């Protein structure tokens, strides 16, 4: 079967992009990266794409007169590579309702918290201040409101006493690198479908039974 064509939008380091590049290097992975687009030139993520032989484009928001013009240029670049699923991976521009509606249910994002908790920036600092005992990361379909939309996959980890924003962020990031390829796989295989505000995921019976038994308690006692 043809692999789903991805367009990955970045603004910087691109470690989640790298996780997708590594996953897609397996010919059995059901998606391939058709283009990587950055709104900032010379970022590490672009170098990662180039090293993997993936086409890149820079669509600079400052070179466009307003957000709709910037976003038209994004859609033009995505369409030029026949992109069918847009993956936001550390893309630091807010997107208008027009763009998000155009790509509705064909655009996903990764966020470093267990949404709907801790939307926005500086999540790990706020997680630590709040005293919650678990945090994690979320891949979700994008809606016009920031960090909103049907959730595809979440990964949860315990918050440990002594954690700093950096130590917690590093453990969350390692989980991000696992769940983003998984979410793309589920969408590409047609196993993750948006139903209302949620995503129904088709899971093998065995995995469903295992998940039903899973409990993690922190502190363990
Ligand atoms: C990640 O923490 C992601 O969840 C957030 O931005 C960060 C991007 O990191 N949206 P990277 O560029 O993928 O390394």
């Amino acid at each position: 079967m043809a692999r789903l064509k991805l367009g990955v939008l970045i603004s910087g380091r691109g470690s989640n992009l790298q996780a997708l590049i590594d996953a897609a290097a397996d010919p059995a992975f059901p998606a391939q990266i058709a283009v990587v687009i950055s709104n900032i030139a010379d970022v590490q993520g672009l170098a990662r794409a180039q090293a993997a032989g993936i086409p890149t484009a820079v669509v600079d928001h400052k070179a466009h007169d307003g957000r709709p013009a910037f976003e038209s240029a994004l859609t033009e670049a995505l369409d030029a590579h026949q992109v069918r699923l847009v993956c936001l991976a550390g893309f630091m521009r807010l997107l208008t309702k027009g763009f998000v509606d155009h790509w509705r249910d064909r655009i996903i994002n990764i966020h470093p918290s267990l949404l709907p908790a801790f939307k926005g920036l500086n999540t790990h600092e706020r997680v630590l201040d709040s005293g919650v005992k678990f945090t994690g990361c979320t891949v979700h379909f994008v809606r016009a409101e920031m960090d909103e939309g049907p959730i595809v996959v979440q990964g949860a980890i315990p918050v440990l006493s002594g954690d700093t924003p950096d130590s917690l962020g590093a453990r969350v990031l390692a989980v991000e690198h696992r769940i983003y390829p998984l979410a793309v796989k589920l969408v590409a295989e047609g196993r993750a479908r948006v139903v209302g505000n949620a995503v129904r995921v088709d899971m093998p019976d065995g995995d469903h039974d295992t998940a039903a038994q899973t409990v993690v308690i922190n502190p363990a006692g």
Side-chain angles (χ1 to χ4, degrees), residues 131-153:
V132 293
K133 296 299 184 208
F134 287 94
T135 186
C137 44
T138 303
V139 178
H140 64 98
F141 284 99
V142 174
R143 295 291 183 259
E145 303 75 32
M146 188 184 61
D147 299 328
E148 286 261 348
I151 290 170
V152 187
V153 181

Side-chain angles (χ1 to χ4, degrees), residues 12-17 89-92 109-112 173 176-177:
R13 176 179 63 178
S15 71
N16 279 288
L17 164 66
F91 184 67
M92 300 304 285
N109 178 46
I110 187 154
H111 180 77
L173 191 64
E176 293 185 42
H177 298 161

